[in-house]
Amino acid sequence: MIRRPKPGESEEDLLRLQEEFLAREVASSANVVKKGDKRKNVAGTAQQNRVEKDVVQLPGADPSSGLPMGATSDPPKKKSKFRSSRPAAGDYGVRGQRIEIDLDRDEDPEVAMERHDTHITSVLSKIMEHDTSNAAVHLPRGTTQGFPTALHRGHTTGAQNGKPHKKRSLFAQQFESSTSNQFGVSTEPQSEQPIRAPVSSSIQPHSTHPMRVSDLPMASSSVEENMEMGESIAAESSPQEPHVISGAGLLQGSLDPERARKDIQQIHQENLGRLSAMSEEEILQEQQKLRQMLDPNLLKFLQSKGPSKPTQKPTSSSTPTSKPQADSENDSMDTESSAPMATEPIPEEKMTQETSKQRVHFDDNAGGGVDDGKEEQELGEPPIEVKKEWVNMNKVESDKISWLKDMPKPSAKAKEGYQARFDFNGMLVARDADIPVREGLHHHGEEQEVPGYSLEELFTLSRSSVVQQRVLALQTLARVLYNCRISDIGGELMEPLVPKLLEAGVLFLFRWSLDDVNEGVITACIEGLAALLIQPGDESTSDRVFSWYRGSETTPMRPVVEDEEDESGQKIEDKEKSDPQLASQDVIKALLRMSVLERLRYILEVVRPPAPVVLNALAILIRIARHSQEATHEIMKCPRLMQTVFAEFLPLASWKSQGDVVSEAYNYPLIPALKLARVICQNGRHFAATLLTKYNLMSVVVRYASMEPVDMPMNIGEAFQLSTEAFRVWQVCVSYGLACDTYRDLYPLLMQQLQVFQRLSILPLDSTHDASAKAANRLQMTRACTVLSMLEGVIHVAGSAVILQQKQTMRSDEQSQQHPRAPPPPIDWSHVTGLMPPLELCAKRWLAEMTNCSDVLEAEALALAGSSLNFLASVYENWTRQPSYSPVDCLQHIEELVTRLLVPFMTSTSFYSVVCNLKSHSSVSHDGNSSLPIISALPDFSCHPEDQSLVYPCVKQTSSYGFAAGLLRLVTTLLKIHKGMAAKFCPIIESTYVTEYLKAVCKHPHQSSASQLVGSWARYEHHVLYYLVKLYYHVAQQSESCHQYSILYHSTALVLLTSLQSGQEHYVHDLLSTVLFHTDFLAEGRIGDPIASDLADMLTMNGKEETAPSTNSSHQGPTRGELLQDAYDHLGSIRHLYMVYFGAAAQALTRSRARSLHQPHDIDTLSLPEFTGPLVPMDWIFLPLLHLYVEAQKAEMLGKTVKSFPPHILASITDTLRWVFMLETWRPKCLQMVPQAAKVARLYCIFLTGNDLFMEDAVSGFLWPILRIYTQPEYLKALDFNVPVPGVASFHDLYMSILTQYEAVSFGNRLFAHFILLPIQQQFNPSLRKAVWFDRVGVLRSLGLPLRECAIPLTNFLEPKETNPELVEIYLGCVASGSVRPSWSPVMYLVAVSHLSKFLFSRDNLDQVEAVRLKLKMIRQVLALKDKVLQQQILQYQGLDLTQPLGFNLYPQLPLERLEILQAAEQR
């Protein structure tokens, strides 16, 4: 094994290794062979200088090939033109040349190298200077500018200078396509002669004209680059110059150019000699051969090398460089490349063509470049005046100055609209807006002349690597969202913008950017999230109504999402949905999944941003907390989030005073931080208890509530708001019975506050007070209102102490262990008795001021007065339950309060103003849709911060619903205790203002949309309507004079029932139990209305014509008056039926009762259930029928057969029909909101339940009069089966079920037949008629309803005439086959004959060939009928006539017009 050399060995070691290797005489892995060089020296000296080169051969390679094993002999690599034009290395002996050495057979290569390698001096001694004595010397061309023009890189296409395109750099292409004019060098001929060297005798110039710039060699002209200038000029005028074979190769590599030229000339003369020796025919034959052999492009190239036709030398006026100034200005847009080097003058026409081919266009317009003339017109005069004293401004470069011109005017507005563009304030920018370019609104890619940025451009800019650009884009998007939220975007958009932005992913853009480390980006992101999530006016409106009756209850701002199911029918959980899917349904849930709470906590705790960012972050947390209890739980369990809020933004120690604008948010009390705690408490008792125990919430409340606002080291307005918010938090905690110990500790302070309130007036301040004093007065009234609301909660807690103690003593020890109850509160009635005198004085003073005031009171004044009335109502509610209750003292207090205070006010003009305000702010003036943008995945209350016209009517700033609810609640509470005072309020019940308001409510019943949360505000109007109805309930029991308004108040109760929302189950239960079925509200039964109804029916029957169809003969039973009296007598059982049905949701009813009756120990949360629209459907009177039908269907699915019904089920159906009949007779307007088709569909449940339920006398006895009501003209006009029926997925399927049931169990029942005929009237969908005539033909056999007993007008089946050819063919088939006969189904037979005759002889669609062919075909079928009677009836049908047995009369003889049609049909 041969050892390899190792590092560190010397040269002697290497020599020793070599000797050892040679001594072993082993074959080497590489051998040195000798191979001759096939290349020859161009100058003929290669033989004497040739040296054999060394070739290294690897084992396994072919020595003859000279290539390694596995290699192929590829063609030689093509050299570049520049490489080929460079002289050979061997000619000049340049560095890097290949040295060839011939070795002797046994000669050592090292020795040969030493022998042939000469010293560097041998090379230096052969240096020869290039002879430039014969070269022409020219002075540099003058320039007209001080610095070369910075060219704009454009697009170069095609070949340059007639040479094929090759891959070059963009700079090389641009430089080649540029002209000398663009560099300030003039191409005009110079007057001076060029400086020349002395002309030698061997070379005589044949031309002395100067060289033009266009004649200068280009970088690509490598052949001319090595030719002397004088010689090229001499060759220019030679007539014998070769054109095709130029000899450039010989000249390029030759050391003796003179000899090379002689060789070229010799070759050229030989060619000419051969051509002269050939005849013309031979020349043409050779040309033809060459044309067939050569490529056409090569032929064109060879022809272009021919001599040019001599032209006159162009003058300065005709050259392209002498074009006018405007033409030279186009150089910035279209640059002309230099012409190729020529040996003679180039014609102007050819130069123009070459220039146009080599022009480079920089215009990005899709329509193509603009010609020179057009550009000259566009450029026009320069926008500024160029002064002569300006440096290097001798030549005016109009192309550069043109950029100083104004932007072109944008295109006109398109009919279908244009792309929206926004400024940096988020406002829409008009396309023709005159906005300076310096504003920065034109720096975008598309439509640069139009100011503003599109949303797509803002999204792109938000991903920029430049921080300032990202911040600018995010801020602009945030302002766009805010402006869209308040509908103040400065224009109109074709579709809502915020849903489109959510769909585009703006939520994810903000969330991803929120993780940025730059504070500017974080600030912009939080601003954008706040603008996206928060409706600006929602929080201010919620704060304004917080002190109203039950104003502390909140509706979750959570979207209503229907459950999705997968292919297997399983519910798809939120965790299985992707982030985009979840964001499209619920934005807040998507943000919680993306860990936005953790990021906000990090920003607040670690980043510590400035005050605006902190305020926006807290606002975002408030919006998340309002979403749902689940979102609130996520906030509470987020590590260190609430701890940071309490520690940094709710300090207990003193803080540094700041100006009107908070600059430093940390260690400074922030109102949003305290509001966040309040919203969290509103979502549940356990949340409030956690904040009280873990974060010491009451210490914060006491810190801010016990200090007077004027003593706080902060802005006076913020001080009042902070103190007010502290009392609101306290009020929420007291609503659960918590934080009552603090009341005892602060009792002296609270009494002191009440004494201050006694001196507070609610009258508006006069004009002598400035705006700041009025603002302070409003803030003081708001704070007083909140204090009273908190004390009202204390009253409820103290009043419930007795009830809790009683329940605790009544429960056994075992029950207490199984179901432990809350202990009694730490306060009782004795702790609150001292509050009554001062607050009663406040209420009396404020109500007396309102009685004598004729001015419009402010919203804060009405809220304060309403709070005092609510406090008194709560006091009297709880007083009667206390052991210390004295009936005599209480009644005396009530009499004094009613006589001296309430009655004088409720008969004053101020009360009438309040009632008029109720009418103007009622929800009847609201269509239930918000004028602000609605986002299904991000619901809001749609409140505008400034424009009150965009706020829901009953919660506007000028609304009086808060005060009216407190007043009516107090009056109702007092009448419940002292019924003897009811007669004093009879004028209130009969007041014109009150009745007009109730009429407006009944005329336009309001149905809230389930998809819009704005409808939840209507609950404040529900409070007022509820107490108005309860007021009538108490007054009507004591006064007979007000019974004349029973219809109005009962209608109001019916409308209110279908308007109540989730969370108001107690109101529904109370209305059903005390109002709706009470005889005082149905006074018609006591004043002889049933008897009057029978008398009216008798008078109506006597006045009818004899020819009218009679419906009485079809059903002989009780009269309408008897049925009404029967229903009136069964009001108790009817009430019980609906009470049982609506009492099924016991848990929801218990929670609602606890909130309505103010039972703190039973209130778990102040958050209402999710808003899903009205709690009671419009068709609630039919719900027992639907319930029975569903239960019967379930039984049949289990295999059970419903043969008969027990008596209580039959009684339930009968009571339902009694109530329907009573309301349809006495309260028809209240049921107008239920579609007539829906009523019929609900009654179908009776026919589909069981086999003979509709045949029961009690059931059919009420179905017949209900049918007569529904077949009256006004009801039939409202009946429409063409539109979707509410509550029915497919009415066609329901009707098919009815037809199947009729065919199976009807036995030709005429009542059932009427309900079959209702949907097949002519104005309804033909598919329903086809279901009877084609799908269920067997129904026609048993549909034997006589014509005179049909309650539906027969004209409804005959008009308008049938235009469906398929149905007419079915009619003909049924009557021809005998499926329809006059004896079986007279109504259907009449329908078929009538429509057949009208269709066959109508002149409609005569221009349609297919329709005419169908009519003629059917006429031939009628003529071919074997039943000649039927044939005669169809052909001679005249019209409806109920005096005839068949219900129609015939023409005595066939009319002439019909006869002609029959003859035409027979001829065909």
Side-chain angles (χ1 to χ4, degrees):
M1 188 68 183
I2 299 176
R3 187 176 64 84
R4 291 181 175 275
K6 297 181 179 180
E9 293 182 348
S10 63
E11 186 177 357
E12 296 177 355
D13 297 331
L14 295 177
L15 292 174
R16 187 177 62 255
L17 291 175
Q18 181 181 359
E19 292 176 357
E20 293 177 358
F21 173 76
L22 295 175
R24 294 187 180 185
E25 296 181 354
V26 296
S28 61
S29 60
N31 298 325
V32 180
V33 297
K34 299 179 181 179
K35 186 177 181 182
D37 190 5
K38 297 181 180 180
R39 295 176 295 179
K40 298 181 180 180
N41 193 297
V42 178
T45 60
Q47 184 67 26
Q48 58 182 2
N49 296 332
R50 182 171 53 183
V51 184
E52 295 293 334
K53 67 177 181 179
D54 298 339
V55 178
V56 179
Q57 182 180 1
L58 298 177
D62 186 6
S64 63
S65 64
L67 297 173
M69 183 179 62
T72 59
S73 57
D74 296 331
K77 184 177 180 181
K78 185 178 180 181
K79 299 180 180 180
S80 66
K81 194 170 183 181
F82 177 77
R83 175 68 178 174
S84 62
S85 64
R86 192 171 57 184
D91 296 339
Y92 296 99
V94 298
R95 182 182 180 182
Q97 68 179 4
R98 180 185 299 273
I99 301 176
E100 300 177 357
I101 303 175
D102 292 334
L103 297 177
D104 295 334
R105 182 175 299 274
D106 298 330
E107 186 177 7
D108 188 1
E110 183 178 358
V111 176
M113 180 66 69
E114 291 291 340
R115 178 168 50 85
H116 289 282
D117 186 15
T118 58
H119 197 262
I120 189 65
T121 57
S122 63
V123 180
L124 296 177
S125 61
K126 296 180 180 180
I127 295 177
M128 298 177 64
E129 184 179 358
H130 182 64
D131 186 12
T132 60
S133 59
N134 297 327
V137 180
H138 290 266
L139 292 176
R141 293 284 179 177
T143 178
T144 59
Q145 59 187 36
F147 196 80
T149 303
L151 297 180
H152 175 69
R153 188 177 67 201
H155 307 284
T156 58
T157 57
Q160 301 292 337
N161 300 334
K163 299 179 178 58
H165 177 73
K166 61 182 180 180
K167 185 175 181 180
R168 289 172 295 175
S169 66
L170 295 177
F171 175 77
Q173 298 179 44
Q174 175 63 31
F175 188 81
E176 183 178 357
S177 63
S178 304
T179 63
S180 58
N181 291 339
Q182 295 173 324
F183 299 97
V185 179
S186 176
T187 58
E188 297 180 359
Q190 297 182 1
S191 60
E192 69 273 11
Q193 297 293 333
I195 301 176
R196 290 183 175 270
V199 182
S200 63
S201 60
S202 61
I203 301 177
Q204 294 293 333
H206 296 276
S207 177
T208 58
H209 70 271
M211 183 73 73
R212 298 190 305 270
V213 175
S214 60
D215 297 332
L216 292 175
M218 298 300 296
S220 61
S221 302
S222 58
V223 176
E224 294 82 357
E225 196 174 43
N226 294 311
M227 297 179 61
E228 294 183 354
M229 191 67 65
E231 295 172 344
S232 65
I233 298 173
E236 180 182 357
S237 59
S238 175
Q240 299 299 327
E241 179 188 3
H243 298 285
V244 178
I245 302 176
S246 61
L250 294 176
L251 291 173
Q252 183 178 6
S254 176
L255 294 176
D256 189 358
E258 183 64 24
R259 183 175 179 179
R261 290 189 181 89
K262 290 181 180 181
D263 293 340
I264 294 171
Q265 190 66 25
Q266 183 181 356
I267 296 173
H268 180 54
Q269 293 298 333
E270 291 178 0
N271 292 335
L272 291 179
R274 289 184 181 182
L275 289 174
S276 61
M278 296 175 64
S279 63
E280 185 177 356
E281 294 180 356
E282 292 176 346
I283 294 175
L284 293 177
Q285 290 177 1
E286 294 297 331
Q287 288 181 355
Q288 186 66 24
K289 291 180 181 179
L290 291 174
R291 289 191 179 96
Q292 294 176 358
M293 295 170 57
L294 299 178
D295 185 64
N297 294 329
L298 181 58
L299 287 174
K300 291 181 180 180
F301 170 74
L302 294 175
Q303 292 174 356
S304 65
K305 304 295 288 185
S308 303
K309 295 181 180 180
T311 56
Q312 186 180 3
K313 181 180 179 181
T315 61
S316 61
S317 62
S318 61
T319 58
T321 57
S322 61
K323 55 187 176 181
Q325 180 69 24
D327 195 12
S328 65
E329 293 176 1
N330 296 332
D331 292 340
S332 63
M333 301 299 292
D334 296 332
T335 60
E336 299 180 2
S337 62
S338 299
M341 180 178 181
T343 58
E344 60 186 41
I346 301 176
E348 182 181 2
E349 179 181 359
K350 184 176 180 181
M351 181 179 293
T352 306
Q353 293 176 356
E354 294 294 333
T355 305
S356 63
K357 291 180 182 179
Q358 300 175 8
R359 181 168 297 172
V360 183
H361 293 278
F362 294 90
D363 189 5
D364 294 335
N365 189 3
V370 184
D371 56 2
D372 296 341
K374 197 168 186 180
E375 289 188 10
E376 292 175 10
Q377 296 177 2
E378 290 180 358
L379 292 175
E381 296 296 331
I384 61 174
E385 180 183 357
V386 179
K387 298 182 179 180
K388 296 181 179 180
E389 57 269 18
W390 292 354
V391 180
N392 296 326
M393 289 297 292
N394 297 330
K395 179 182 177 182
V396 179
E397 298 177 287
S398 302
D399 57 337
K400 296 181 180 179
I401 302 178
S402 62
W403 290 98
L404 300 176
K405 289 186 177 181
D406 295 336
M407 297 290 290
K409 293 184 178 180
S411 58
K413 180 180 178 181
K415 294 182 179 179
E416 62 274 8
Y418 53 88
Q419 189 178 25
R421 293 190 174 274
F422 303 88
D423 60 10
F424 297 130
N425 293 323
M427 302 295 290
L428 276 174
V429 180
R431 293 179 64 87
D432 55 351
D434 186 12
I435 298 178
V437 182
R438 62 177 178 271
E439 297 294 333
L441 297 178
H442 297 79
H443 300 167
H444 45 78
E446 298 179 356
E447 298 182 323
Q448 296 184 12
E449 67 276 7
V450 181
Y453 290 85
S454 65
L455 295 177
E456 182 180 359
E457 292 165 351
L458 290 175
F459 270 75
T460 303
L461 197 62
S462 65
R463 297 189 295 271
S464 172
S465 59
V466 181
V467 175
Q468 290 82 354
Q469 291 181 349
R470 295 204 306 271
V471 172
L472 182 65
L474 293 172
Q475 284 180 346
T476 305
L477 284 173
R479 291 162 186 172
V480 169
L481 287 169
Y482 180 84
N483 293 335
C484 289
R485 281 291 201 168
I486 62 176
S487 294
D488 186 17
I489 202 168
E492 295 182 1
L493 298 174
M494 299 180 64
E495 49 187 334
L497 185 60
V498 181
K500 287 295 180 183
L501 285 173
L502 282 174
E503 184 179 352
V506 70
L507 178 68
F508 300 97
L509 173 64
F510 285 143
R511 180 60 191 93
W512 296 333
S513 301
L514 194 63
D515 293 333
D516 202 295
V517 297
N518 185 272
E519 283 195 26
V521 177
I522 294 175
T523 301
C525 286
I526 290 186
E527 181 184 355
L529 278 178
L532 175 64
L533 301 179
I534 302 169
Q535 181 64 33
D538 285 355
E539 291 299 327
S540 59
T541 305
S542 300
D543 293 342
R544 186 172 62 252
V545 303
F546 189 84
S547 298
W548 289 10
Y549 177 63
R550 299 180 65 178
S552 59
E553 300 174 2
T554 62
T555 302
M557 301 175 70
R558 181 177 188 171
V560 179
V561 180
E562 297 181 358
D563 294 336
E564 299 181 4
E565 296 181 354
D566 54 12
E567 297 178 355
S568 60
Q570 298 294 330
K571 179 182 176 182
I572 301 178
E573 301 293 339
D574 290 340
K575 61 182 179 181
E576 300 176 2
K577 301 177 183 176
S578 62
D579 288 346
Q581 289 177 338
L582 189 60
S584 63
Q585 298 176 353
D586 195 329
V587 173
I588 300 297
K589 278 187 177 181
L591 280 175
L592 292 176
R593 177 190 284 186
M594 291 186 284
S595 304
V596 71
L597 294 177
E598 288 78 0
R599 183 59 181 170
L600 290 177
R601 191 270 310 160
Y602 176 82
I603 292 173
L604 294 176
E605 183 183 20
V606 180
V607 179
R608 300 176 72 89
V613 182
V614 173
L615 295 176
N616 283 331
L618 292 175
I620 293 173
L621 292 175
I622 292 174
R623 176 59 182 88
I624 295 176
R626 288 193 181 277
H627 176 268
S628 60
Q629 291 182 336
E630 293 81 0
T632 304
H633 178 68
E634 294 294 330
I635 294 177
M636 293 293 293
K637 75 176 185 179
C638 181
R640 301 193 309 278
L641 177 57
M642 292 306 299
Q643 180 181 354
T644 302
V645 172
F646 274 85
E648 300 292 348
F649 312 119
L650 295 174
L652 295 176
S654 60
W655 58 87
K656 184 179 179 181
S657 177
Q658 301 188 33
D660 294 340
V661 178
V662 179
S663 58
E664 178 58 40
Y666 287 84
N667 295 323
Y668 188 83
L670 296 181
I671 301 172
L674 196 56
K675 186 175 185 178
L676 174 62
R678 188 242 297 177
V679 175
I680 292 176
C681 292
Q682 287 178 281
N683 280 311
R685 173 194 294 270
H686 53 293
F687 295 131
T690 302
L691 292 181
L692 289 173
T693 56
K694 185 176 180 180
Y695 299 102
N696 202 9
L697 177 60
M698 282 313 299
S699 299
V700 176
V701 171
V702 173
R703 174 69 174 85
Y704 302 141
S706 60
M707 182 181 294
E708 287 293 332
V710 294
D711 298 333
M712 293 184 182
M714 58 195 312
N715 179 273
I716 186 64
E718 293 183 358
F720 270 104
Q721 293 177 8
L722 183 64
S723 178
T724 301
E725 193 61 47
F727 279 106
R728 286 173 180 165
V729 176
W730 195 357
Q731 175 186 347
V732 173
C733 295
V734 168
S735 300
Y736 301 124
L738 306 175
C740 294
D741 293 335
T742 309
Y743 164 76
R744 294 188 305 179
D745 299 337
L746 297 183
Y747 182 79
L749 179 63
L750 294 174
M751 293 299 298
Q752 182 180 0
Q753 290 291 329
L754 294 181
Q755 294 177 1
V756 175
F757 295 161
Q758 293 179 8
R759 300 189 298 268
L760 186 63
S761 175
I762 64 174
L763 296 177
L765 299 179
D766 53 22
S767 57
T768 58
H769 297 80
D770 56 0
S772 60
K774 294 181 180 179
N777 186 46
R778 289 194 296 269
L779 291 173
Q780 190 173 3
M781 286 191 292
T782 302
R783 179 173 177 269
C785 183
T786 308
V787 173
L788 295 185
S789 299
M790 185 275 298
L791 293 177
E792 180 186 358
V794 174
I795 292 292
H796 292 302
V797 175
S800 63
V802 177
I803 301 176
L804 291 177
Q805 291 176 357
Q806 293 175 354
K807 291 182 178 180
Q808 195 72 20
T809 56
M810 293 174 60
R811 294 164 59 89
S812 61
D813 295 339
E814 182 179 355
Q815 292 177 344
S816 300
Q817 294 178 0
Q818 294 178 356
H819 303 284
R821 297 188 63 88
I827 58 175
D828 54 20
W829 192 251
S830 61
H831 294 92
V832 298
T833 53
L835 299 176
M836 292 182 58
L839 278 177
E840 190 172 0
L841 290 176
C842 291
K844 290 180 178 180
R845 176 183 178 177
W846 295 333
L847 210 60
E849 289 180 348
M850 293 184 63
T851 305
N852 301 323
C853 179
S854 59
D855 299 333
V856 179
L857 297 178
E858 296 177 343
E860 293 79 7
L862 287 176
L864 180 57
S867 298
S868 64
L869 298 179
N870 279 317
F871 179 85
L872 292 179
S874 299
V875 168
Y876 284 103
E877 282 180 359
N878 292 276
W879 190 5
T880 56
R881 295 190 290 239
Q882 304 305 317
S884 60
Y885 170 68
S886 174
V888 178
D889 296 340
C890 181
L891 295 179
Q892 290 179 355
H893 276 87
I894 292 176
E895 291 178 359
E896 182 180 0
L897 184 63
V898 169
T899 305
R900 297 185 178 181
L901 189 63
L902 294 179
V903 173
F905 172 74
M906 300 185 74
T907 55
S908 65
T909 57
S910 297
F911 175 74
Y912 299 146
S913 300
V914 171
V915 177
C916 292
N917 183 277
L918 296 179
K919 183 179 179 181
S920 60
H921 290 77
S922 175
S923 58
V924 299
S925 60
H926 198 271
D927 57 359
N929 298 321
S930 173
S931 55
L932 296 175
I934 297 298
I935 310 170
S936 59
L938 195 63
D940 53 66
F941 296 119
S942 301
C943 296
H944 197 278
E946 297 177 358
D947 190 359
Q948 291 295 308
S949 62
L950 301 179
V951 182
Y952 198 80
C954 65
V955 293
K956 289 182 178 180
Q957 193 169 2
T958 56
S959 173
S960 61
Y961 274 94
F963 171 78
L967 177 64
L968 294 174
R969 178 186 171 218
L970 175 61
V971 173
T972 304
T973 304
L974 296 179
L975 293 183
K976 189 186 302 183
I977 300 173
H978 195 332
K979 295 181 175 55
M981 294 285 101
K984 294 184 177 293
F985 293 96
C986 189
I988 308 303
I989 297 299
E990 301 174 357
S991 173
T992 306
Y993 299 95
V994 176
T995 56
E996 289 296 328
Y997 166 62
L998 296 181
K999 289 178 182 178
V1001 172
C1002 297
K1003 185 178 181 181
H1004 303 284
H1006 175 63
Q1007 281 287 328
S1008 301
S1009 175
S1011 61
Q1012 296 189 9
L1013 196 61
V1014 64
S1016 62
W1017 292 123
R1019 66 180 184 270
Y1020 294 106
E1021 184 175 6
H1022 298 163
H1023 299 327
V1024 174
L1025 292 175
Y1026 171 76
Y1027 282 112
L1028 266 176
V1029 172
K1030 294 294 290 184
L1031 178 60
Y1032 174 84
Y1033 170 75
H1034 292 292
V1035 174
Q1037 294 179 353
Q1038 305 296 325
S1039 176
E1040 293 288 340
S1041 61
C1042 61
H1043 285 175
Q1044 56 180 329
Y1045 297 99
S1046 61
I1047 298 177
L1048 178 60
Y1049 282 91
H1050 189 250
S1051 301
T1052 302
L1054 291 172
V1055 172
L1056 176 61
L1057 182 70
T1058 57
S1059 301
L1060 295 174
Q1061 305 167 1
S1062 299
Q1064 297 178 327
E1065 291 82 2
H1066 171 70
Y1067 287 171
V1068 173
H1069 187 270
D1070 189 62
L1071 290 176
L1072 291 173
S1073 60
T1074 61
V1075 175
L1076 293 180
F1077 306 101
H1078 199 277
T1079 56
D1080 289 338
F1081 288 87
L1082 292 168
E1084 292 88 345
R1086 298 191 303 175
I1087 59 177
D1089 189 76
I1091 300 175
S1093 299
D1094 286 341
L1095 181 60
D1097 290 342
M1098 294 174 60
L1099 294 176
T1100 302
M1101 291 301 300
N1102 293 334
K1104 283 187 177 181
E1105 297 179 358
E1106 294 295 332
T1107 58
S1110 175
T1111 59
N1112 291 334
S1113 59
S1114 62
H1115 172 70
Q1116 298 295 335
T1119 62
R1120 188 162 67 101
E1122 294 174 350
L1123 293 175
L1124 287 173
Q1125 188 63 46
D1126 177 71
Y1128 185 82
D1129 295 338
H1130 286 81
L1131 281 176
S1133 61
I1134 297 174
R1135 169 183 171 274
H1136 175 74
L1137 170 67
Y1138 286 96
M1139 287 287 295
V1140 171
Y1141 180 80
F1142 285 102
Q1147 187 176 6
L1149 179 60
T1150 301
R1151 294 176 179 176
S1152 177
R1153 181 182 290 111
R1155 288 190 295 266
S1156 300
L1157 299 181
H1158 307 284
Q1159 300 171 353
H1161 48 279
D1162 292 330
I1163 298 177
D1164 294 330
T1165 177
L1166 294 178
S1167 178
L1168 299 173
E1170 293 183 12
F1171 179 74
T1172 56
L1175 183 63
V1176 179
M1178 296 181 297
D1179 59 342
W1180 64 275
I1181 59 176
F1182 298 97
L1183 289 183
L1185 301 180
L1186 292 175
H1187 179 71
L1188 178 62
Y1189 169 71
V1190 171
E1191 294 298 327
Q1193 291 294 320
K1194 291 180 179 179
E1196 291 180 358
M1197 292 178 63
L1198 295 176
K1200 301 179 181 179
T1201 303
V1202 182
K1203 296 182 179 180
S1204 60
F1205 293 94
H1208 69 278
I1209 298 296
L1210 186 60
S1212 299
I1213 298 177
T1214 306
D1215 287 339
T1216 303
L1217 294 177
R1218 287 190 180 106
W1219 183 238
V1220 172
F1221 177 60
M1222 190 183 305
L1223 292 183
E1224 290 286 3
T1225 304
W1226 288 341
R1227 304 289 184 267
K1229 293 183 179 180
C1230 296
L1231 298 181
Q1232 287 181 353
M1233 67 183 73
V1234 184
Q1236 196 65 23
K1239 298 178 182 178
V1240 175
R1242 304 309 188 260
L1243 292 179
Y1244 277 164
C1245 296
I1246 298 177
F1247 299 97
L1248 293 174
T1249 304
N1251 296 333
D1252 54 357
L1253 179 61
F1254 60 92
M1255 295 182 182
E1256 296 288 342
D1257 293 339
V1259 176
S1260 61
F1262 282 96
L1263 278 177
W1264 273 110
I1266 293 175
L1267 175 65
R1268 295 191 191 100
I1269 294 175
Y1270 290 167
T1271 54
Q1272 293 178 3
E1274 58 272 15
Y1275 283 86
L1276 290 176
K1277 186 178 180 180
L1279 185 63
D1280 189 3
F1281 292 105
N1282 295 328
V1283 297
V1285 180
V1288 179
S1290 174
F1291 182 78
H1292 185 273
D1293 296 342
L1294 176 63
Y1295 189 62
M1296 292 296 292
S1297 302
I1298 283 291
L1299 293 178
T1300 304
Q1301 186 78 350
Y1302 179 82
E1303 189 177 4
V1305 301
S1306 68
F1307 300 102
N1309 184 271
R1310 296 179 180 179
L1311 175 64
F1312 203 163
H1314 276 89
F1315 284 91
I1316 293 294
L1317 293 176
L1318 278 175
I1320 63 173
Q1321 298 179 68
Q1322 197 63 22
Q1323 68 266 28
F1324 301 136
N1325 197 322
S1327 62
L1328 299 176
R1329 299 193 291 276
K1330 192 180 297 184
V1332 177
W1333 288 90
F1334 182 75
D1335 298 331
R1336 294 289 186 270
V1337 185
V1339 173
L1340 301 175
R1341 176 66 178 83
S1342 58
L1343 202 59
L1345 181 64
L1347 294 174
R1348 296 184 61 82
E1349 294 183 8
C1350 182
I1352 308 171
L1354 295 176
T1355 54
N1356 292 358
F1357 301 99
L1358 307 179
E1359 298 294 339
K1361 58 185 178 182
E1362 187 62 64
T1363 57
N1364 191 330
E1366 186 179 359
L1367 259 178
V1368 177
E1369 286 186 305
I1370 293 175
Y1371 292 160
L1372 179 58
C1374 289
V1375 294
S1377 63
S1379 299
V1380 178
R1381 299 181 183 180
S1383 58
W1384 291 352
S1385 51
V1387 176
M1388 308 308 289
Y1389 186 82
L1390 170 63
V1391 171
V1393 172
S1394 175
H1395 286 301
L1396 274 172
S1397 180
K1398 292 178 181 179
F1399 181 81
L1400 295 179
F1401 299 108
S1402 66
R1403 292 190 170 274
D1404 298 337
N1405 302 328
L1406 294 179
D1407 55 340
Q1408 299 179 5
V1409 179
E1410 294 296 332
V1412 174
R1413 289 179 180 176
L1414 179 61
K1415 288 183 180 181
L1416 295 177
K1417 174 186 174 182
M1418 294 180 64
I1419 290 175
R1420 288 193 293 269
Q1421 292 177 354
V1422 172
L1423 294 177
L1425 289 175
K1426 296 181 180 180
D1427 190 349
K1428 299 303 178 181
V1429 177
L1430 175 61
Q1431 182 186 70
Q1432 181 185 11
Q1433 292 173 352
I1434 295 175
L1435 298 178
Q1436 298 183 6
Y1437 174 82
Q1438 183 177 7
L1440 178 65
D1441 187 1
L1442 293 179
T1443 59
Q1444 301 296 326
L1446 297 179
F1448 57 89
N1449 53 14
L1450 304 175
Y1451 286 107
Q1453 58 182 2
L1454 198 62
L1456 180 61
E1457 182 179 1
R1458 296 188 179 185
L1459 185 60
E1460 294 176 354
I1461 295 176
L1462 294 179
Q1463 293 175 356
E1466 290 176 350
Q1467 292 176 0
R1468 290 199 176 187

